[in-house]
Amino acid sequence: MALHLGRLSAGSCWRASRGGRRGLCAWPGRCAAARICRPPGAAGTEQCRGLGHKSTAGGGPRLGTGLTTALAGLAGLAGLAAAAFGLVERVEMVPKSTGARSPSSGRPEEDDDELTRRCSCFMAPPVTDLRELRGRPSDMKTKMELLILETQAQVCQALAQVDGGARFSVDRWERKEGGGGISCVLQDGHVFEKAGVSISVVHGNLSEEAAKQMRSRGKILKTKDGKLPFSAMGVSSVIHPKNPHAPTIHFNYRYFEIEEADGNKQWWFGGGCDLTPTYLNQEDAIHFHRTLKEACDKHGPDLYPKFKKWCDDYFFIVHRGERRGIGGIFFDDLDSPSKEEVFRFVQSCAQAVVPSYIPLVKKHHDDSFTPQEKLWQQLRRGRYVEFNLLYDRGTKFGLFTPGSRIESILMSLPLTARWEYMHSPPENSKEAEILEVLRHPRDWVR
Protein backbone atom coordinates (compact mmCIF):
# COMPACT_ATOMS: atom_id res chain seq x y z
CA MET A 1 0.00 0.00 0.00
CA ALA A 2 1.09 3.56 -0.51
CA LEU A 3 1.35 6.05 2.31
CA HIS A 4 1.97 9.80 2.00
CA LEU A 5 3.72 11.73 4.74
CA GLY A 6 4.15 15.43 5.21
CA ARG A 7 7.20 17.42 6.20
CA LEU A 8 8.98 16.28 9.35
CA SER A 9 11.25 18.17 11.67
CA ALA A 10 14.92 17.17 11.70
CA GLY A 11 14.49 15.42 15.02
CA SER A 12 11.42 13.43 14.09
CA CYS A 13 11.24 9.68 14.37
CA TRP A 14 8.72 7.18 13.10
CA ARG A 15 6.09 5.33 15.04
CA ALA A 16 3.20 3.09 14.20
CA SER A 17 -0.05 4.74 13.34
CA ARG A 18 -2.77 3.55 15.69
CA GLY A 19 -5.51 4.93 13.51
CA GLY A 20 -7.59 3.31 10.85
CA ARG A 21 -4.69 2.48 8.52
CA ARG A 22 -1.36 0.91 9.22
CA GLY A 23 1.82 2.74 8.43
CA LEU A 24 4.31 5.28 9.67
CA CYS A 25 3.84 8.77 11.01
CA ALA A 26 5.94 11.52 12.52
CA TRP A 27 6.91 11.19 16.15
CA PRO A 28 8.81 14.39 17.04
CA GLY A 29 11.32 14.85 19.76
CA ARG A 30 11.56 11.44 21.39
CA CYS A 31 14.71 10.07 19.90
CA ALA A 32 18.03 11.82 19.62
CA ALA A 33 20.18 10.93 16.64
CA ALA A 34 22.92 9.75 18.95
CA ARG A 35 20.77 7.01 20.41
CA ILE A 36 18.82 5.73 17.45
CA CYS A 37 18.34 2.09 18.29
CA ARG A 38 21.53 0.85 19.91
CA PRO A 39 21.37 -2.91 19.33
CA PRO A 40 20.37 -4.87 22.43
CA GLY A 41 23.40 -5.91 24.39
CA ALA A 42 25.77 -3.75 22.33
CA ALA A 43 28.32 -2.07 24.52
CA GLY A 44 30.16 1.13 23.72
CA THR A 45 33.23 1.06 21.56
CA GLU A 46 36.06 -0.83 23.18
CA GLN A 47 39.69 -1.40 22.39
CA CYS A 48 40.41 -4.86 21.04
CA ARG A 49 43.45 -6.50 19.55
CA GLY A 50 43.99 -8.88 16.72
CA LEU A 51 40.92 -7.89 14.70
CA GLY A 52 40.97 -9.68 11.39
CA HIS A 53 44.29 -11.41 12.02
CA LYS A 54 42.94 -14.96 12.10
CA SER A 55 43.48 -16.71 8.79
CA THR A 56 40.52 -18.02 6.88
CA ALA A 57 40.50 -21.50 5.47
CA GLY A 58 42.16 -20.18 2.36
CA GLY A 59 44.86 -18.22 4.13
CA GLY A 60 43.16 -14.96 5.02
CA PRO A 61 41.23 -12.17 3.31
CA ARG A 62 41.81 -11.86 -0.42
CA LEU A 63 41.11 -9.28 -3.07
CA GLY A 64 39.17 -11.89 -5.00
CA THR A 65 36.61 -12.39 -2.25
CA GLY A 66 33.13 -11.00 -2.05
CA LEU A 67 30.11 -13.23 -2.07
CA THR A 68 28.80 -11.02 0.69
CA THR A 69 29.19 -8.15 -1.73
CA ALA A 70 27.68 -10.33 -4.42
CA LEU A 71 24.69 -10.95 -2.17
CA ALA A 72 24.17 -7.23 -2.43
CA GLY A 73 22.70 -7.88 -5.83
CA LEU A 74 20.66 -10.84 -4.68
CA ALA A 75 19.39 -9.00 -1.64
CA GLY A 76 19.09 -5.54 -3.12
CA LEU A 77 22.11 -4.23 -1.20
CA ALA A 78 24.27 -3.03 -4.04
CA GLY A 79 24.18 0.50 -5.28
CA LEU A 80 21.92 2.49 -2.99
CA ALA A 81 22.39 5.72 -1.14
CA ALA A 82 21.22 8.02 1.59
CA ALA A 83 17.83 9.64 1.10
CA ALA A 84 16.16 12.50 2.95
CA PHE A 85 14.38 12.47 6.30
CA GLY A 86 12.47 15.72 5.86
CA LEU A 87 9.81 14.91 3.26
CA VAL A 88 8.52 11.52 2.18
CA GLU A 89 7.00 11.21 -1.26
CA ARG A 90 5.87 7.60 -1.15
CA VAL A 91 5.98 4.64 1.17
CA GLU A 92 5.10 1.24 -0.21
CA MET A 93 4.49 -1.31 2.50
CA VAL A 94 4.36 -4.98 1.65
CA PRO A 95 1.49 -6.45 3.69
CA LYS A 96 2.65 -8.92 6.31
CA SER A 97 0.53 -11.22 8.40
CA THR A 98 2.55 -10.46 11.52
CA GLY A 99 4.05 -7.03 10.85
CA ALA A 100 6.09 -5.24 13.48
CA ARG A 101 3.76 -2.24 13.28
CA SER A 102 0.52 -4.13 13.60
CA PRO A 103 -2.22 -2.76 15.82
CA SER A 104 -2.03 -3.50 19.50
CA SER A 105 -1.95 -7.19 20.19
CA GLY A 106 -3.41 -6.73 23.63
CA ARG A 107 0.04 -7.13 25.19
CA PRO A 108 1.03 -3.60 26.26
CA GLU A 109 4.37 -4.83 27.60
CA GLU A 110 5.34 -5.62 24.01
CA ASP A 111 3.89 -2.44 22.53
CA ASP A 112 5.83 -0.27 24.96
CA ASP A 113 9.07 -2.17 25.42
CA GLU A 114 12.48 -0.66 24.70
CA LEU A 115 12.93 -2.52 21.42
CA THR A 116 9.66 -1.08 20.06
CA ARG A 117 10.65 2.45 21.11
CA ARG A 118 14.05 2.13 19.47
CA CYS A 119 12.61 0.74 16.27
CA SER A 120 10.19 3.67 16.11
CA CYS A 121 13.12 5.78 14.89
CA PHE A 122 13.72 3.72 11.77
CA MET A 123 12.61 4.61 8.25
CA ALA A 124 10.29 1.59 8.25
CA PRO A 125 9.60 -1.40 10.51
CA PRO A 126 12.33 -4.05 10.67
CA VAL A 127 12.27 -6.76 8.03
CA THR A 128 12.19 -9.42 10.75
CA ASP A 129 9.09 -9.53 12.92
CA LEU A 130 9.58 -7.80 16.27
CA ARG A 131 8.47 -10.90 18.15
CA GLU A 132 11.31 -12.86 16.58
CA LEU A 133 13.84 -10.10 17.31
CA ARG A 134 12.59 -9.86 20.87
CA GLY A 135 13.05 -13.61 21.29
CA ARG A 136 16.76 -13.55 20.33
CA PRO A 137 18.18 -10.23 21.59
CA SER A 138 21.78 -11.47 21.85
CA ASP A 139 21.86 -13.19 18.44
CA MET A 140 24.17 -11.47 15.94
CA LYS A 141 21.45 -11.45 13.29
CA THR A 142 19.31 -9.31 15.61
CA LYS A 143 22.15 -6.95 16.47
CA MET A 144 23.18 -6.51 12.85
CA GLU A 145 19.66 -5.92 11.57
CA LEU A 146 19.13 -3.19 14.16
CA LEU A 147 22.50 -1.64 13.35
CA ILE A 148 21.81 -1.38 9.62
CA LEU A 149 18.35 0.07 10.30
CA GLU A 150 19.93 2.59 12.64
CA THR A 151 22.54 3.51 10.04
CA GLN A 152 19.90 3.96 7.37
CA ALA A 153 17.89 6.32 9.56
CA GLN A 154 20.90 8.38 10.66
CA VAL A 155 22.17 8.90 7.12
CA CYS A 156 18.71 9.77 5.79
CA GLN A 157 18.15 12.31 8.53
CA ALA A 158 21.55 13.94 7.97
CA LEU A 159 21.04 14.25 4.21
CA ALA A 160 17.56 15.72 4.62
CA GLN A 161 19.00 18.52 6.71
CA VAL A 162 21.51 19.31 3.95
CA ASP A 163 19.14 19.00 0.99
CA GLY A 164 16.28 20.95 2.54
CA GLY A 165 12.85 19.94 1.30
CA ALA A 166 13.99 16.91 -0.69
CA ARG A 167 11.47 14.25 -1.57
CA PHE A 168 12.26 10.58 -1.20
CA SER A 169 10.45 7.29 -1.33
CA VAL A 170 10.60 4.48 1.20
CA ASP A 171 10.02 1.19 -0.54
CA ARG A 172 9.59 -1.95 1.54
CA TRP A 173 9.93 -5.14 -0.45
CA GLU A 174 9.87 -8.88 0.09
CA ARG A 175 12.06 -11.57 -1.47
CA LYS A 176 10.19 -14.69 -2.55
CA GLU A 177 13.01 -16.96 -1.44
CA GLY A 178 13.07 -15.46 2.07
CA GLY A 179 13.44 -12.06 3.73
CA GLY A 180 13.26 -8.64 2.17
CA GLY A 181 14.48 -5.10 2.48
CA ILE A 182 13.81 -1.37 2.71
CA SER A 183 15.00 1.06 0.03
CA CYS A 184 15.03 4.82 0.64
CA VAL A 185 15.57 6.74 -2.59
CA LEU A 186 15.92 10.43 -3.44
CA GLN A 187 16.06 11.69 -7.03
CA ASP A 188 16.63 15.23 -8.31
CA GLY A 189 16.69 16.98 -4.95
CA HIS A 190 18.05 20.46 -4.27
CA VAL A 191 21.54 19.20 -3.42
CA PHE A 192 21.54 15.55 -4.46
CA GLU A 193 20.93 14.40 -8.01
CA LYS A 194 20.44 10.82 -6.92
CA ALA A 195 20.87 9.25 -3.52
CA GLY A 196 19.53 6.21 -1.76
CA VAL A 197 20.16 3.93 1.14
CA SER A 198 19.01 0.34 1.20
CA ILE A 199 18.98 -2.39 3.80
CA SER A 200 18.25 -6.03 3.15
CA VAL A 201 17.78 -9.03 5.41
CA VAL A 202 17.56 -12.24 3.40
CA HIS A 203 17.78 -15.97 4.02
CA GLY A 204 17.33 -19.23 2.19
CA ASN A 205 19.55 -21.82 0.52
CA LEU A 206 22.74 -20.73 -1.17
CA SER A 207 22.85 -21.29 -4.91
CA GLU A 208 25.45 -23.65 -6.32
CA GLU A 209 27.10 -20.72 -8.11
CA ALA A 210 27.40 -18.83 -4.83
CA ALA A 211 28.78 -21.86 -3.01
CA LYS A 212 31.29 -22.39 -5.81
CA GLN A 213 32.43 -18.79 -5.47
CA MET A 214 32.94 -19.26 -1.75
CA ARG A 215 34.93 -22.44 -2.22
CA SER A 216 37.16 -20.61 -4.70
CA ARG A 217 38.09 -18.32 -1.80
CA GLY A 218 39.22 -21.30 0.26
CA LYS A 219 36.08 -21.92 2.29
CA ILE A 220 35.21 -25.52 3.10
CA LEU A 221 31.43 -25.94 2.98
CA LYS A 222 29.54 -29.12 3.89
CA THR A 223 26.17 -29.34 2.17
CA LYS A 224 23.25 -31.64 2.98
CA ASP A 225 21.31 -32.91 0.01
CA GLY A 226 22.97 -30.17 -2.00
CA LYS A 227 21.53 -27.44 0.24
CA LEU A 228 23.38 -24.83 2.26
CA PRO A 229 21.19 -22.55 4.44
CA PHE A 230 22.37 -18.96 4.76
CA SER A 231 21.40 -15.62 6.27
CA ALA A 232 22.74 -12.30 4.94
CA MET A 233 22.03 -8.69 5.84
CA GLY A 234 23.56 -5.32 5.17
CA VAL A 235 23.20 -1.65 4.39
CA SER A 236 24.47 -0.13 1.15
CA SER A 237 24.50 3.47 -0.01
CA VAL A 238 25.62 5.70 -2.88
CA ILE A 239 25.16 9.48 -2.94
CA HIS A 240 25.59 11.57 -6.11
CA PRO A 241 25.46 15.35 -5.43
CA LYS A 242 24.60 17.82 -8.19
CA ASN A 243 27.54 20.17 -7.61
CA PRO A 244 30.78 18.88 -9.20
CA HIS A 245 32.75 20.16 -6.21
CA ALA A 246 30.76 17.97 -3.79
CA PRO A 247 32.05 14.37 -3.85
CA THR A 248 30.17 11.12 -4.32
CA ILE A 249 30.32 8.59 -1.47
CA HIS A 250 29.63 4.87 -1.26
CA PHE A 251 29.43 2.67 1.83
CA ASN A 252 28.36 -0.88 2.52
CA TYR A 253 28.41 -2.96 5.73
CA ARG A 254 27.16 -6.54 5.82
CA TYR A 255 27.01 -9.81 7.78
CA PHE A 256 26.86 -13.33 6.37
CA GLU A 257 26.13 -16.62 8.14
CA ILE A 258 26.05 -20.18 6.77
CA GLU A 259 24.84 -23.34 8.51
CA GLU A 260 26.60 -26.48 7.30
CA ALA A 261 25.20 -30.01 7.23
CA ASP A 262 26.79 -30.91 10.59
CA GLY A 263 25.22 -27.87 12.27
CA ASN A 264 28.45 -25.88 12.32
CA LYS A 265 28.03 -22.19 11.46
CA GLN A 266 30.46 -20.09 9.50
CA TRP A 267 30.16 -16.31 9.71
CA TRP A 268 31.95 -13.20 8.52
CA PHE A 269 31.55 -9.45 8.09
CA GLY A 270 32.44 -7.27 5.13
CA GLY A 271 32.12 -3.71 3.99
CA GLY A 272 33.80 -0.38 3.54
CA CYS A 273 33.41 3.28 2.67
CA ASP A 274 35.04 5.23 -0.17
CA LEU A 275 34.98 8.75 -1.64
CA THR A 276 34.79 9.70 -5.33
CA PRO A 277 35.43 13.41 -5.90
CA THR A 278 35.27 15.07 -9.31
CA TYR A 279 38.00 17.52 -8.33
CA LEU A 280 40.75 17.03 -5.78
CA ASN A 281 40.47 18.93 -2.53
CA GLN A 282 43.26 17.86 -0.21
CA GLU A 283 41.52 19.15 2.93
CA ASP A 284 38.47 17.07 2.08
CA ALA A 285 40.57 13.97 1.40
CA ILE A 286 42.42 14.34 4.70
CA HIS A 287 39.18 14.86 6.64
CA PHE A 288 37.52 11.82 5.08
CA HIS A 289 40.44 9.48 5.61
CA ARG A 290 41.22 10.80 9.08
CA THR A 291 37.63 10.15 10.21
CA LEU A 292 37.78 6.57 8.95
CA LYS A 293 41.20 6.07 10.50
CA GLU A 294 39.96 7.25 13.89
CA ALA A 295 37.10 4.73 13.70
CA CYS A 296 39.52 1.93 12.79
CA ASP A 297 42.15 2.92 15.38
CA LYS A 298 39.70 2.27 18.21
CA HIS A 299 40.08 -1.41 17.35
CA GLY A 300 43.71 -1.69 16.31
CA PRO A 301 46.42 0.52 14.76
CA ASP A 302 47.02 -1.84 11.83
CA LEU A 303 43.43 -1.90 10.53
CA TYR A 304 43.25 1.41 8.67
CA PRO A 305 46.45 0.99 6.61
CA LYS A 306 45.52 -2.59 5.72
CA PHE A 307 41.94 -1.81 4.74
CA LYS A 308 42.94 1.43 3.01
CA LYS A 309 45.26 -0.49 0.68
CA TRP A 310 42.59 -3.12 0.13
CA CYS A 311 40.19 -0.35 -0.92
CA ASP A 312 42.71 1.17 -3.37
CA ASP A 313 43.26 -2.25 -4.92
CA TYR A 314 39.59 -3.21 -5.15
CA PHE A 315 38.16 -0.04 -6.74
CA PHE A 316 40.49 -0.24 -9.72
CA ILE A 317 39.21 0.26 -13.28
CA VAL A 318 41.63 -2.06 -15.01
CA HIS A 319 41.03 -0.96 -18.60
CA ARG A 320 41.52 2.69 -17.59
CA GLY A 321 44.47 2.15 -15.29
CA GLU A 322 42.87 4.30 -12.60
CA ARG A 323 40.91 4.01 -9.36
CA ARG A 324 37.26 4.91 -9.14
CA GLY A 325 38.00 7.49 -6.45
CA ILE A 326 40.42 8.43 -3.70
CA GLY A 327 39.63 5.36 -1.63
CA GLY A 328 38.74 4.83 1.99
CA ILE A 329 38.51 1.40 3.59
CA PHE A 330 37.38 -2.00 2.32
CA PHE A 331 37.37 -5.48 3.90
CA ASP A 332 35.74 -8.86 3.48
CA ASP A 333 35.65 -12.28 5.17
CA LEU A 334 36.41 -10.65 8.53
CA ASP A 335 35.86 -13.41 11.10
CA SER A 336 38.32 -12.89 13.96
CA PRO A 337 39.14 -12.54 16.76
CA SER A 338 35.48 -12.90 17.83
CA LYS A 339 32.03 -12.17 16.48
CA GLU A 340 31.38 -9.47 19.10
CA GLU A 341 34.69 -7.69 18.50
CA VAL A 342 34.24 -7.60 14.73
CA PHE A 343 30.67 -6.36 15.20
CA ARG A 344 31.90 -3.49 17.35
CA PHE A 345 34.43 -2.61 14.66
CA VAL A 346 31.73 -2.58 11.97
CA GLN A 347 29.54 -0.50 14.27
CA SER A 348 32.32 2.10 14.62
CA CYS A 349 32.77 2.22 10.85
CA ALA A 350 29.04 2.68 10.24
CA GLN A 351 28.87 5.48 12.79
CA ALA A 352 31.72 7.26 10.97
CA VAL A 353 29.76 7.70 7.72
CA VAL A 354 27.90 10.88 8.64
CA PRO A 355 30.85 12.78 10.20
CA SER A 356 33.18 11.75 7.35
CA TYR A 357 30.89 12.95 4.56
CA ILE A 358 28.22 15.47 5.58
CA PRO A 359 30.73 18.29 6.35
CA LEU A 360 32.10 17.95 2.81
CA VAL A 361 28.66 18.34 1.20
CA LYS A 362 27.82 21.32 3.41
CA LYS A 363 31.13 22.90 2.42
CA HIS A 364 30.66 22.56 -1.34
CA HIS A 365 27.03 22.22 -2.36
CA ASP A 366 26.70 25.96 -3.02
CA ASP A 367 30.08 26.36 -4.76
CA SER A 368 29.97 28.08 -8.13
CA PHE A 369 31.01 25.96 -11.11
CA THR A 370 31.49 26.32 -14.84
CA PRO A 371 29.98 24.31 -17.70
CA GLN A 372 33.41 22.76 -18.20
CA GLU A 373 33.46 21.55 -14.58
CA LYS A 374 29.97 20.09 -14.93
CA LEU A 375 31.10 18.29 -18.10
CA TRP A 376 34.07 16.79 -16.24
CA GLN A 377 31.71 15.56 -13.52
CA GLN A 378 29.62 13.81 -16.17
CA LEU A 379 32.69 12.12 -17.62
CA ARG A 380 33.81 10.95 -14.16
CA ARG A 381 30.28 9.62 -13.60
CA GLY A 382 30.83 7.52 -16.72
CA ARG A 383 33.88 5.98 -15.04
CA TYR A 384 31.73 5.23 -11.99
CA VAL A 385 29.24 3.38 -14.18
CA GLU A 386 32.03 1.44 -15.90
CA PHE A 387 33.39 0.14 -12.62
CA ASN A 388 30.01 -0.86 -11.23
CA LEU A 389 28.89 -2.72 -14.35
CA LEU A 390 32.20 -4.30 -15.35
CA TYR A 391 34.06 -5.00 -12.11
CA ASP A 392 31.87 -4.73 -9.03
CA ARG A 393 31.22 -8.27 -7.83
CA GLY A 394 27.91 -7.48 -6.16
CA THR A 395 26.43 -5.77 -9.19
CA LYS A 396 27.56 -8.46 -11.62
CA PHE A 397 26.37 -11.30 -9.39
CA GLY A 398 23.00 -9.65 -8.88
CA LEU A 399 22.38 -8.99 -12.56
CA PHE A 400 22.91 -12.66 -13.39
CA THR A 401 21.00 -14.08 -10.42
CA PRO A 402 17.42 -15.23 -11.14
CA GLY A 403 14.86 -13.43 -9.01
CA SER A 404 17.17 -10.57 -8.02
CA ARG A 405 15.78 -7.07 -7.60
CA ILE A 406 17.20 -5.15 -10.58
CA GLU A 407 15.85 -1.76 -9.45
CA SER A 408 17.87 -2.00 -6.24
CA ILE A 409 20.97 -3.37 -7.95
CA LEU A 410 21.17 -0.49 -10.43
CA MET A 411 20.24 2.23 -7.96
CA SER A 412 23.95 2.98 -7.54
CA LEU A 413 24.08 4.43 -11.05
CA PRO A 414 23.77 8.23 -11.39
CA LEU A 415 20.85 9.88 -13.17
CA THR A 416 23.25 11.43 -15.69
CA ALA A 417 26.66 10.51 -17.10
CA ARG A 418 28.67 11.09 -20.26
CA TRP A 419 31.21 9.35 -22.47
CA GLU A 420 33.40 11.14 -24.99
CA TYR A 421 35.68 9.34 -27.37
CA MET A 422 39.38 9.57 -26.42
CA HIS A 423 38.81 12.43 -23.97
CA SER A 424 41.99 13.66 -22.28
CA PRO A 425 42.22 16.73 -20.01
CA PRO A 426 44.88 19.41 -20.62
CA GLU A 427 48.21 19.01 -18.80
CA ASN A 428 48.54 20.80 -15.46
CA SER A 429 44.75 21.31 -15.28
CA LYS A 430 42.57 20.60 -12.25
CA GLU A 431 41.14 17.67 -14.19
CA ALA A 432 44.62 16.24 -14.75
CA GLU A 433 45.37 16.69 -11.04
CA ILE A 434 42.63 14.30 -9.90
CA LEU A 435 43.64 11.78 -12.58
CA GLU A 436 47.16 11.70 -11.19
CA VAL A 437 45.80 10.76 -7.76
CA LEU A 438 43.49 8.11 -9.22
CA ARG A 439 46.44 6.52 -10.99
CA HIS A 440 48.81 6.80 -8.04
CA PRO A 441 46.96 6.57 -4.67
CA ARG A 442 48.30 8.69 -1.81
CA ASP A 443 48.54 8.21 1.92
CA TRP A 444 46.32 11.01 3.21
CA VAL A 445 46.88 10.43 6.92
CA ARG A 446 49.60 8.68 8.89
Side-chain angles (χ1 to χ4, degrees), residues 38-52 136-144 147 255 257 267-269 298-299 303 334-349:
R38 178 178 294 278
T45 302
E46 299 177 7
Q47 294 283 350
C48 62
R49 297 174 182 241
L51 188 65
R136 49 174 171 87
S138 60
D139 189 283
M140 185 53 65
K141 293 193 293 292
T142 297
K143 293 182 179 182
M144 191 63 183
L147 174 61
Y255 173 71
E257 188 175 281
W267 60 269
W268 59 88
F269 291 84
K298 296 175 183 177
H299 305 272
L303 298 180
L334 202 56
D335 61 358
S336 64
S338 73
K339 192 180 292 187
E340 290 297 328
E341 288 173 307
V342 182
F343 172 74
R344 286 194 290 268
F345 167 68
V346 171
Q347 186 178 42
S348 294
C349 293

Side-chain angles (χ1 to χ4, degrees), residues 129-416:
D129 188 274
L130 274 188
R131 286 172 289 186
E132 183 175 345
L133 295 176
R134 194 177 286 113
R136 49 174 171 87
S138 60
D139 189 283
M140 185 53 65
K141 293 193 293 292
T142 297
K143 293 182 179 182
M144 191 63 183
E145 181 170 351
L146 296 179
L147 174 61
I148 61 178
L149 285 160
E150 170 194 72
T151 303
Q152 181 183 54
Q154 289 174 336
V155 173
C156 290
Q157 179 178 4
L159 291 189
Q161 293 173 345
V162 175
D163 196 279
R167 301 181 66 84
F168 69 99
S169 64
V170 179
D171 181 19
R172 183 185 179 94
W173 49 271
E174 287 186 350
R175 177 173 173 266
K176 181 176 63 175
E177 294 80 3
I182 302 161
S183 299
C184 301
V185 183
L186 158 68
Q187 292 187 146
D188 203 21
H190 297 318
V191 173
F192 303 105
E193 178 184 286
K194 188 178 183 183
V197 60
S198 178
I199 68 110
S200 65
V201 180
V202 299
H203 54 85
N205 289 307
L206 210 59
S207 69
E208 183 56 39
E209 181 180 354
K212 180 179 179 181
Q213 191 176 119
M214 289 184 178
R215 292 189 179 99
S216 71
R217 290 151 46 194
K219 293 188 178 296
I220 301 174
L221 304 174
K222 304 170 186 175
T223 62
K224 182 177 182 180
D225 299 326
K227 295 183 178 179
L228 199 61
F230 80 93
S231 296
M233 58 198 66
V235 56
S236 186
S237 173
V238 178
I239 304 165
H240 294 292
K242 288 185 171 181
N243 195 301
H245 297 290
T248 286
I249 191 177
H250 157 261
F251 72 87
N252 173 282
Y253 293 105
R254 54 197 181 270
Y255 173 71
F256 203 98
E257 188 175 281
I258 289 178
E259 183 174 348
E260 298 180 283
D262 57 5
N264 180 54
K265 290 185 178 180
Q266 293 194 43
W267 60 269
W268 59 88
F269 291 84
C273 184
D274 61 282
L275 196 70
T276 305
T278 302
Y279 288 96
L280 181 64
N281 184 298
Q282 296 200 35
E283 289 183 358
D284 294 352
I286 292 171
H287 168 83
F288 180 78
H289 278 269
R290 180 176 291 155
T291 306
L292 297 185
K293 182 178 184 298
E294 289 172 353
C296 292
D297 285 352
K298 296 175 183 177
H299 305 272
D302 61 325
L303 298 180
Y304 169 78
K306 178 168 64 176
F307 296 153
K308 191 266 186 189
K309 183 181 186 305
W310 200 341
C311 185
D312 289 335
D313 291 341
Y314 177 77
F315 292 103
F316 183 60
I317 308 173
V318 179
H319 63 279
R320 299 288 186 182
E322 61 191 43
R323 275 76 188 167
R324 189 177 74 177
I326 63 169
I329 58 173
F330 180 85
F331 56 90
D332 206 353
D333 286 346
L334 202 56
D335 61 358
S336 64
S338 73
K339 192 180 292 187
E340 290 297 328
E341 288 173 307
V342 182
F343 172 74
R344 286 194 290 268
F345 167 68
V346 171
Q347 186 178 42
S348 294
C349 293
Q351 291 170 348
V353 171
V354 169
S356 72
Y357 181 65
I358 293 300
L360 307 184
V361 181
K362 288 182 177 180
K363 178 180 176 182
H364 295 294
H365 71 80
D366 283 332
D367 287 359
S368 60
F369 58 88
T370 66
Q372 177 187 348
E373 290 171 332
K374 187 64 179 179
L375 171 63
W376 179 244
Q377 181 194 47
Q378 297 296 291
L379 292 170
R380 296 313 308 169
R381 291 261 183 86
R383 298 288 199 270
Y384 203 96
V385 172
E386 288 178 22
F387 177 86
N388 281 27
L389 294 182
L390 296 178
Y391 298 108
D392 185 73
R393 293 189 299 267
T395 303
K396 291 173 63 178
F397 187 89
L399 290 174
F400 292 100
T401 299
S404 59
R405 196 168 192 268
I406 302 300
E407 287 295 326
S408 293
I409 296 167
L410 297 182
M411 199 63 72
S412 63
L413 304 183
L415 281 184
T416 60

Side-chain angles (χ1 to χ4, degrees), residues 10-14 27-38 85 114 117-118 120-122 150 153-154 157 161:
S12 298
C13 300
W14 305 107
W27 184 34
R30 289 188 59 186
C31 188
R35 67 171 294 276
I36 294 179
C37 195
R38 178 178 294 278
F85 203 58
E114 180 63 18
R117 289 193 293 271
R118 288 172 171 173
S120 296
C121 297
F122 298 150
E150 170 194 72
Q154 289 174 336
Q157 179 178 4
Q161 293 173 345

Side-chain angles (χ1 to χ4, degrees), residues 75-148:
L77 289 175
L80 290 167
F85 203 58
L87 191 66
V88 176
E89 181 180 51
R90 186 183 75 253
V91 178
E92 296 175 355
M93 303 294 292
V94 176
K96 299 189 68 165
S97 59
T98 54
R101 291 293 201 268
S102 59
S104 176
S105 60
R107 300 180 62 181
E109 70 276 9
E110 288 191 4
D111 292 335
D112 298 328
D113 70 3
E114 180 63 18
L115 179 60
T116 302
R117 289 193 293 271
R118 288 172 171 173
C119 292
S120 296
C121 297
F122 298 150
M123 300 301 289
V127 175
T128 304
D129 188 274
L130 274 188
R131 286 172 289 186
E132 183 175 345
L133 295 176
R134 194 177 286 113
R136 49 174 171 87
S138 60
D139 189 283
M140 185 53 65
K141 293 193 293 292
T142 297
K143 293 182 179 182
M144 191 63 183
E145 181 170 351
L146 296 179
L147 174 61
I148 61 178

